[in-house]
C-alpha cells in the first residue's frame, strides 16, 4: 500500500512529460576546435518534442560533437544558435540547461551508493529530503534496480550500471535526454535487451531524446528519425525506413548495410550490367540525378546516360535455375547462420558479393551458381563526381 | 614435502639479512633504556634517559610535530588543486611545471637550503622563524603529495565524472568537493602520510636552515649524538622510532586499499 503512494510522484512526472517534450532547434551551427579542426560543417537540425532522434555515423563523423553542443559541453562557433523550446540556451552552461546525460562509460560516482548516485542531482537542486527519497525510490523501481539501492558501484554488472545511469539522468525530469553510445560497452545479447528497455522507457516518458551510436541496427530499433553523419556533415535525415530503403548517397547506402556494390551503366532509362538490362522503373530506389540539387528519386534526370553504382543487400540477388540466370558466380565461402546460410560469391563484380540462401540448400564451396537480380531491392546511383569521391573516401 | 638445500640456503640468507637490519635497531633501542651502555644490560634498565631527552629536547620534538602538521596543511591545500590542474589540463606548460615541482627531490637538500638562505637570509625575523623551515619542507614534500594525488586522479576518468555531475546541475565547487575529492581520497591520504613522515625525518635541508631556537627532531638527534652520552642519543632514537613507526605502518596499509573488501564482494554477473 505504501509502495503505491510512493510511486505516485513518479507517475505524475510521466504524465506531465508525455504531453510536452521540449522541442530543440540548432540553427546555423558550426564547430571549429581550438586547433583549427572543422568538426562540424554548417548545419540546421530540429528535434521535435518527445521525439527520439538517433545520430548515426562512423567514429569521427561529428555525431558526438552535436550531442555535446546540445548538452552544453561544447559551444557552437559564433553565429550558431541553440534553443530549447522558447529558451535560447546557446551560451548557457550545462549546469543550467537541465539535460540528462548517459555516457558510454556510465560516469557513475564510485564514492556513492546506487541510491546516492540517483539522488545526487536532486541534492544539488536542493530538493527536500522527503521528496528526494520518494523520487529516488520511484526511479529505482521504474528501472527495476530497487534491490540494489545500497550497493556500491563497483559491485554492479555493466547492465546494472547502465540502468543506474539512466535512473540518475531522468530523476531530475530533464528537458532532453542525451545518450552517448550507452550500450557499446555491453555484450551483444544484453545490448539487445537493454535497447528494448530503453525504447519502451523513452516512449513511456515521452521525453525528447538524442541517441548517438555507430550501430545501424540500434539506430533503426530506437529512432523515430535517424540522422546519418559523414565527416562533420549531415548526409541524410529520415525515418528508419527511408534511410534503409531510400538512401540518398552511396555512403548512406553502404553505412546502413547495403554492402554489395557493382559497377553498371545507365542507358535509355535502363540499368545495364553486362548482358543484363533492367528498366529503371522496376528498380527499388534509383537516384540518377545530382542528389544535392534534386533529392527526389523520381526526378526527370533519371533517363540520363552514364556510369552507375549499384548497391544491394544479401536479398538483392537470388540463386535460380541456370536457364533463368542473369549472371554467373562461384561460391567462395559459406557461413551457416541458422535461419539462413550466407554465401560469399566471386566472379560477379570486382569484389565478392554476399547473398543468402535457405540453410538446407545443397551447395558447396567452388560450385558455380546462376543468379537473378531482385530489382525491387536494388539501389542505383548515377555516378556524378561528388558521389564517387564520397564512395572512395570510405 | 621435502625441501632441497636451495630452499634452506635462501631461508638462511633471508634471516641473516633481516637480522642485519633488525639487530642494530634492537641494540640502539636497548641502549636507550640501559643504565650504562659500556657495562651492558647487567647494569640494569631505566627510563631515565628518555626523561632526560624529553627535558632537553621537548621543544625540538614539538616543533617537528607542529612543522609536520603545518606542512601537511599547506601541501594538501596547494597540492590537491595543483594535481587536479595537472591531470585535467595536460599541456606543455603543466608538464614543465610538474618537472620543476619535482626538482627539490632530485637536488640535494643542502643546495636547496643554500639557495633559500642566499635569497631570504637577509630578512632577519623571517630567517629565524619556524616558517622559514616550513617553506623548505613544503618545497621538499610537495611533489610527493602532488604525484600521489595525480596518480589516483588520472586513474578515475575525472573528465567524464565531472561532465556527469555538471549535467545534474553541479557547479565547479560542488563537483570538486563532492565528487573529485572523495574519489581522490586514497591518493590524498597516501600523500599526507608521506608528507608527514618526510617532514618529521627531514635532516639535510633543515640542518642548514635551523637556528638554535628552531631545532627539529632530527637536528636535535644529531646534536645529541655529537654532544651527549651515547645512552641519551639512543633514547632519542627510541622516541623518534615510536613517533615514526605508526606512520610507516599506516602508509603500508593505505598502499593497498580495499584489497580485502574487493575480494569479498565479486561484481554481479549480467543476467
Amino acid at each position: 500500500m505504501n509502495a503505491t503512494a510512493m510511486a505516485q510522484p513518479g507517475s505524475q512526472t510521466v504524465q506531465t512529460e508525455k504531453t510536452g517534450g521540449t522541442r530543440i532547434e540548432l540553427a546555423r551551427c558550426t564547430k571549429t576546435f581550438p586547433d583549427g579542426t572543422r568538426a562540424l560543417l554548417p548545419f540546421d537540425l530540429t528535434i521535435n518534442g518527445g521525439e527520439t532522434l538517433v545520430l548515426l555515423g562512423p567514429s569521427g563523423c561529428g555525431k558526438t560533437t552535436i550531442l555535446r553542443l546540445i548538452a552544453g559541453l561544447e559551444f557552437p562557433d559564433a553565429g550558431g544558435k541553440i534553443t530549447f523550446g522558447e529558451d535560447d540556451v546557446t551560451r548557457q552552461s550545462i549546469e543550467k540547461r537541465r539535460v540528462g546525460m548517459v555516457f558510454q562509460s556510465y560516469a557513475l560516482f564510485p564514492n556513492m551508493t546506487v541510491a546516492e548516485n540517483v539522488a545526487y542531482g536532486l541534492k544539488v537542486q536542493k530538493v527536500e529530503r522527503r521528496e528526494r527519497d520518494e523520487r529516488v525510490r520511484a526511479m529505482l523501481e521504474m528501472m527495476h534496480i530497487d534491490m540494489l539501492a545500497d550497493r556500491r558501484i563497483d559491485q554492479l554488472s555493466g547492465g546494472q550500471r547502465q540502468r543506474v545511469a539512466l535512473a540518475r539522468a531522468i530523476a531530475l525530469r530533464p528537458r532532453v535526454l542525451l545518450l552517448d553510445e550507452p550500450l557499446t560497452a555491453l555484450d551483444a545479447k544484453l545490448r539487445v535487451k537493454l535497447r528494448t528497455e530503453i525504447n519502451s522507457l523513452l516512449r513511456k516518458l515521452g521525453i525528447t531524446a538524442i541517441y548517438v551510436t555507430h550501430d545501424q541496427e540500434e539506430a533503426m530499433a530506437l529512432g523515430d528519425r535517424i540522422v546519418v553523419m559523414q565527416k562533420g556533415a549531415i548526409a541524410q535525415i529520415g525515418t528508419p525506413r527511408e534511410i534503409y530503403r531510400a538512401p540518398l548517397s552511396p555512403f548512406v547506402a553502404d553505412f546502413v548495410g547495403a554492402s554489395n556494390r557493382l559497377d553498371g551503366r545507365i542507358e535509355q532509362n535502363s540499368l545495364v550490367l553486362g548482358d543484363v538490362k533492367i528498366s529503371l522503373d522496376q528498380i527499388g530506389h534509383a537516384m540518377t540525378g545530382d542528389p544535392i540539387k534534386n533529392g527526389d528519386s523520381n526526378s526527370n534526370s533519371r533517363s540520363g546516360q552514364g556510369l552507375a553504382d549499384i548497391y544491394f543487400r544479401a536479398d538483392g540477388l537470388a540463386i535460380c535455375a541456370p536457364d533463368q540466370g542473369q549472371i554467373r558466380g562461384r561460391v567462395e565461402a559459406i557461413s551457416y547462420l541458422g535461419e539462413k546460410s550466407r554465401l560469399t560469391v566471386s566472379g560477379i563484380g570486382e569484389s565478392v558479393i554476399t547473398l543468402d540462401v535457405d540453410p538446407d540448400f545443397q551447395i558447396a564451396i567452388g560450385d558455380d551458381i546462376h543468379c537473378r537480380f531482385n530489382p525491387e531491392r536494388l539501389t542505383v546511383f548515377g555516378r556524378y563526381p561528388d558521389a564517387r569521391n564520397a564512395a572512395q573516401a570510405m | 614435502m621435502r625441501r632441497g638445500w636451495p630452499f634452506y640456503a635462501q631461508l638462511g640468507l633471508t634471516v641473516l639479512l633481516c637480522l642485519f637490519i633488525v639487530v642494530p635497531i634492537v641494540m640502539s633501542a636497548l641502549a636507550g633504556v640501559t643504565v650504562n651502555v659500556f657495562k651492558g644490560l647487567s647494569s640494569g634498565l631505566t627510563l631515565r634517559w628518555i626523561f632526560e631527552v624529553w627535558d632537553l629536547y621537548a621543544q625540538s620534538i614539538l616543533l617537528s610535530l607542529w612543522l609536520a602538521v603545518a606542512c601537511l596543511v599547506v601541501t594538501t591545500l596547494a597540492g590537491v588543486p595543483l594535481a587536479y590542474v595537472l591531470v585535467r589540463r595536460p599541456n606543455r606548460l603543466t608538464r614543465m611545471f610538474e618537472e620543476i615541482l619535482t626538482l627539490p627531490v632530485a637536488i640535494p637538500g643542502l643546495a636547496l637550503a643554500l639557495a633559500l638562505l642566499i635569497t631570504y637570509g637577509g630578512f632577519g625575523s623571517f630567517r629565524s622563524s619556524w616558517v622559514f623551515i616550513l617553506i623548505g619542507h613544503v618545497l621538499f614534500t610537495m611533489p610527493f603529495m602532488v604525484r600521489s594525488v595525480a596518480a589516483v586522479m588520472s586513474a578515475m576518468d575525472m573528465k567524464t565524472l565531472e561532465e556527469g555531475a555538471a549535467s545534474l546541475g553541479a557547479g565547479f565547487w560542488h563537483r570538486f568537493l563532492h565528487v573529485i575529492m572523495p574519489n581522490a581520497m586514497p591518493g590524498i591520504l597516501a600523500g599526507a602520510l608521506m608528507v608527514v613522515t618526510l617532514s618529521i625525518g627531514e635532516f639535510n635541508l633543515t640542518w642548514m636552515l635551523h637556528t638554535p631556537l628552531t631545532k627539529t627532531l632530527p637536528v636535535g638527534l644529531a646534536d645529541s649524538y655529537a654532544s651527549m652520552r651515547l645512552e641519551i642519543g639512543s633514547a632519542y632514537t627510541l622516541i623518534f622510532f615510536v613517533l615514526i613507526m605508526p606512520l610507516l605502518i599506516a602508509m603500508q596499509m593505505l598502499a593497498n586499499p580495499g584489497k580485502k573488501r574487493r575480494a569479498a564482494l565479486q561484481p554481479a554477473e549480467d543476467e
Side-chain angles (χ1 to χ4, degrees):
Chain A
M1 196 207 116
N2 214 355
T4 42
M6 289 297 180
Q8 217 154 18
S11 50
Q12 268 168 9
T13 328
V14 172
Q15 281 307 317
T16 50
E17 303 257 334
K18 201 167 196 167
T19 48
T22 309
R23 175 189 169 89
I24 294 173
E25 274 185 57
L26 294 93
R28 299 176 309 281
C29 284
T30 54
K31 178 66 191 171
T32 313
F33 283 124
D35 64 355
T37 322
R38 208 78 193 285
L40 289 174
L41 302 170
F43 72 99
D44 294 290
L45 185 63
T46 303
I47 302 116
N48 299 317
E51 177 184 41
T52 301
L53 186 87
V54 176
L55 298 168
L56 174 69
S59 63
C61 69
K63 56 189 192 298
T64 299
T65 309
I66 293 192
L67 190 85
R68 293 173 70 84
L69 284 181
I70 297 169
L73 289 167
E74 308 278 354
F75 295 105
D77 298 341
K81 190 178 172 189
I82 303 172
T83 48
F84 284 10
E86 301 297 310
D87 191 5
D88 183 347
V89 299
T90 312
R91 295 290 145 191
Q92 203 173 49
S93 68
I94 179 168
E95 293 100 301
K96 304 257 160 55
R97 277 198 195 183
R98 287 181 48 221
V99 296
M101 272 200 96
V102 178
F103 299 84
Q104 184 182 337
S105 58
Y106 320 119
L108 295 171
F109 309 130
N111 57 316
M112 302 177 199
T113 64
V114 167
E116 285 166 351
N117 262 279
V118 178
Y120 182 82
L122 298 165
K123 242 182 212 170
V124 173
Q125 306 295 339
K126 306 217 162 57
V127 174
E128 185 217 350
R129 178 73 189 259
R130 255 177 59 95
E131 195 197 338
R132 197 167 73 206
D133 290 348
E134 280 173 16
R135 269 165 76 172
V136 168
R137 175 107 66 105
M139 280 300 136
L140 294 179
E141 266 171 26
M142 187 161 101
M143 298 307 298
H144 312 294
I145 44 172
D146 35 334
M147 64 294 185
L148 302 174
D150 297 322
R151 291 271 193 102
R152 291 176 56 86
I153 300 306
D154 58 7
Q155 297 167 249
L156 302 182
S157 69
Q160 290 167 341
R161 284 178 205 207
Q162 204 49 284
R163 285 204 184 89
V164 178
L166 273 163
R168 188 180 71 174
I170 56 181
L172 275 177
R173 301 165 192 173
R175 291 191 279 188
V176 54
L177 185 61
L178 306 169
L179 304 111
D180 188 5
E181 308 226 13
L183 303 180
T184 306
L186 303 172
D187 65 71
K189 207 175 147 192
L190 188 66
R191 206 149 60 209
V192 174
K193 183 168 184 254
L194 260 176
R195 186 172 84 196
T196 319
E197 277 182 35
I198 290 179
N199 201 359
S200 55
L201 176 74
L202 293 178
R203 308 293 144 194
K204 199 164 94 188
L205 292 177
I207 191 175
T208 309
I210 296 157
Y211 190 106
V212 165
T213 182
H214 62 265
D215 181 350
Q216 173 247 135
E217 229 182 275
E218 222 167 274
M220 297 277 175
L222 283 168
D224 291 319
R225 282 191 303 154
I226 298 174
V227 177
V228 184
M229 304 268 315
Q230 177 192 13
K231 290 189 197 163
I234 293 173
Q236 186 170 358
I237 305 180
T239 62
R241 184 177 292 273
E242 282 165 2
I243 300 276
Y244 193 81
R245 283 284 172 234
L248 287 182
S249 69
F251 171 82
V252 177
D254 185 88
F255 197 78
V256 297
S259 50
N260 292 322
R261 199 190 76 82
L262 292 175
D263 287 313
R265 292 179 55 74
I266 290 171
E267 280 170 18
Q268 285 141 21
N269 227 356
S270 291
L271 175 67
V272 180
L273 219 160
D275 305 333
V276 188
K277 197 169 178 184
I278 305 169
S279 163
L280 280 183
D281 297 325
Q282 289 180 286
I283 302 283
H285 177 62
M287 301 237 353
T288 51
D290 185 336
I292 291 146
K293 280 182 194 146
N294 36 20
D296 177 8
S297 61
N298 291 316
S299 70
N300 48 17
S301 56
R302 251 172 95 149
S303 52
Q305 306 246 338
L307 297 171
D309 291 322
I310 306 154
Y311 285 86
F312 56 95
R313 296 186 173 77
D315 60 359
L317 195 63
I319 292 183
C320 62
D323 55 325
Q324 289 173 357
Q326 290 173 315
I327 44 172
R328 282 178 59 175
R330 199 179 129 87
V331 178
E332 295 291 337
I334 304 171
S335 10
Y336 177 71
L337 300 175
E339 79 271 27
K340 64 196 173 195
S341 281
R342 183 151 288 183
L343 307 184
T344 306
V345 180
S346 66
I348 295 178
E350 281 168 38
S351 52
V352 291
I353 298 291
T354 56
L355 59 95
D356 291 346
V357 293
D358 188 281
D360 298 324
F361 188 74
Q362 290 301 312
I363 198 154
I365 291 171
D367 284 357
D368 277 334
I369 52 169
H370 297 265
C371 305
R372 271 191 84 76
F373 285 103
N374 181 358
E376 257 306 298
R377 292 282 180 262
L378 299 183
T379 297
V380 174
F381 296 99
R383 195 181 290 168
Y384 31 82
D386 284 342
R388 194 62 192 153
N389 290 341
Q392 273 167 355
M394 284 171 337
Chain B
M1 196 178 96
R2 275 182 68 92
R3 295 189 165 103
W5 65 267
F7 173 79
Y8 291 105
Q10 276 186 28
L11 184 70
L13 190 67
T14 311
V15 169
L16 265 177
L17 270 173
C18 287
L19 285 178
F20 187 74
I21 297 164
V22 171
V23 167
I25 298 174
V26 174
M27 292 300 283
S28 177
L30 270 179
V33 288
T34 309
V35 173
N36 187 330
V37 163
F38 299 102
K39 285 194 188 150
L41 282 176
S42 59
S43 64
L45 296 173
T46 177
L47 289 177
R48 185 184 142 205
W49 309 123
I50 299 201
F51 288 121
E52 218 160 294
V53 169
W54 187 256
D55 283 343
L56 283 166
Y57 296 104
Q59 260 221 304
S60 299
I61 294 168
L62 291 177
L63 177 66
S64 261
L65 292 177
W66 166 247
L67 270 175
V69 170
C71 186
L72 176 62
V73 170
V74 175
T75 48
T76 308
L77 287 182
V80 175
L82 198 59
Y84 173 81
V85 173
L86 291 180
V87 175
R88 202 71 168 78
R89 309 218 181 290
N91 55 39
R92 219 168 44 189
L93 201 75
T94 53
R95 262 195 297 277
M96 215 158 71
F97 192 80
E98 202 181 346
E99 291 301 318
I100 293 171
L101 197 73
T102 320
L103 271 184
V105 181
I107 293 174
L110 291 171
L112 188 66
L114 193 63
L116 283 171
L117 280 172
I118 290 170
T119 319
Y120 304 112
F123 304 90
S125 55
F126 173 52
R127 197 252 168 276
S128 59
S129 81
W130 60 272
V131 180
F132 197 51
I133 299 178
L134 175 64
I135 287 171
H137 280 202
V138 167
L139 279 177
F140 178 65
T141 55
M142 186 65 94
F144 293 94
M145 174 60 90
V146 172
R147 280 278 161 104
S148 148
V149 176
V152 173
M153 281 180 167
S154 35
M156 73 188 196
D157 192 8
M158 268 198 307
K159 183 165 172 271
T160 317
L161 282 182
E162 272 204 75
E163 287 178 353
S167 75
L168 297 165
F172 173 77
W173 286 109
H174 201 283
R175 299 198 299 261
F176 192 79
L177 292 176
H178 293 97
V179 177
I180 300 299
M181 285 275 283
N183 286 307
M185 206 39 98
I188 299 174
L189 279 179
L193 278 166
M194 191 81 121
V195 165
V196 170
T197 312
L198 285 173
S199 170
I200 289 181
E202 212 299 318
F203 175 72
N204 269 335
L205 192 138
T206 321
W207 184 72
M208 283 282 277
L209 296 180
H210 88 278
T211 65
L213 288 175
T214 55
K215 246 186 269 175
T216 67
L217 189 71
V219 173
L221 195 62
D223 191 76
S224 73
Y225 289 165
S227 57
M228 302 284 161
R229 311 177 48 132
L230 187 54
E231 290 87 347
I232 292 191
S234 302
Y236 204 135
T237 313
L238 194 59
I239 292 176
F240 189 88
F241 202 65
V242 167
L243 278 175
I244 214 87
M245 261 328 258
L247 289 173
L248 285 173
I249 291 169
M251 213 153 80
Q252 276 297 322
M253 284 165 70
L254 272 178
N256 39 9
K259 231 179 203 170
K260 274 184 201 150
R261 182 166 52 89
R262 222 161 283 168
L265 301 164
Q266 292 284 324
E269 283 292 311
D270 269 310
E271 59 280 12

